[in-house]
Amino acid sequence: MADTYNGAAELVKGMEQFTDTVRGDIAGAAGALSVKYTELLRSRSPVRQRASRSFYGVKYPPGSYARKWQNTHTDGLSSDACVKVRIYNKGNYQLTWLLEDGHDIVKHGVKVGYASPRKHIFDTEQEMSPEFNRDIAKMLTEN
């Protein structure tokens, strides 16, 4: 009876080690891919050709939207055991959906035009998702 229990304990220990190894590999792949994704977003984001003023008088120089893309990621070794990746625009986060989806241009309550969408986030995501899936599949087959 004691031999069976030791075998189960060793199996559990081996599974925990495998889980930690895979979690670390996934965290590494997610971290590397988030850096690449952020750089692609910086290069593909639309750039305004002239400086503008916001309603509050803050100047936004050309290219400020593209330069503000950042990423954060966790290693997955914390208590919740999740690998979390967050890619966001730190400065002009309000513009992301306006640029991605397009919007009406309204002046003094009257629609004067339409700003067409500039699909830079969706296209980059569609390109990076298969690459991430390939990396994960490759890691699982190696382990």
Side-chain angles (χ1 to χ4, degrees), residues 91-112:
N92 301 327
Y93 60 90
Q94 302 93 335
L95 291 178
T96 55
W97 71 273
L98 290 171
L99 290 171
E100 188 74 11
D101 299 331
H103 59 92
D104 291 336
I105 300 172
V106 178
K107 291 188 179 183
H108 306 292
V110 178
K111 180 180 173 183
V112 295

Side-chain angles (χ1 to χ4, degrees), residues 9-10 24 32 41 57 62 64 73-74 82 86 89 106-107 113-114 116 122 127 136 139 143:
E10 288 179 15
L41 279 174
S64 63
H73 55 277
T74 61
C82 290
R86 180 175 174 227
N89 195 298
V106 178
K107 291 188 179 183
Y114 180 77
S116 60
F122 180 76
E127 181 182 326
I136 298 301
M139 278 183 240
N143 287 332

Side-chain angles (χ1 to χ4, degrees), residues 39-99:
E39 291 301 321
L40 278 173
L41 279 174
R42 284 182 185 153
S43 66
R44 294 179 180 178
S45 292
V47 177
R48 181 185 292 250
Q49 298 302 317
R50 58 182 171 79
S52 66
R53 287 184 177 265
S54 73
F55 182 73
Y56 300 105
V58 178
K59 290 184 179 178
Y60 293 109
S64 63
Y65 172 76
R67 283 191 301 273
K68 302 277 180 156
W69 285 106
Q70 297 195 357
N71 63 357
T72 58
H73 55 277
T74 61
D75 57 4
L77 301 177
S78 60
S79 61
D80 63 353
C82 290
V83 176
K84 297 177 184 175
V85 174
R86 180 175 174 227
I87 300 168
Y88 60 99
N89 195 298
K90 186 174 184 179
N92 301 327
Y93 60 90
Q94 302 93 335
L95 291 178
T96 55
W97 71 273
L98 290 171
L99 290 171

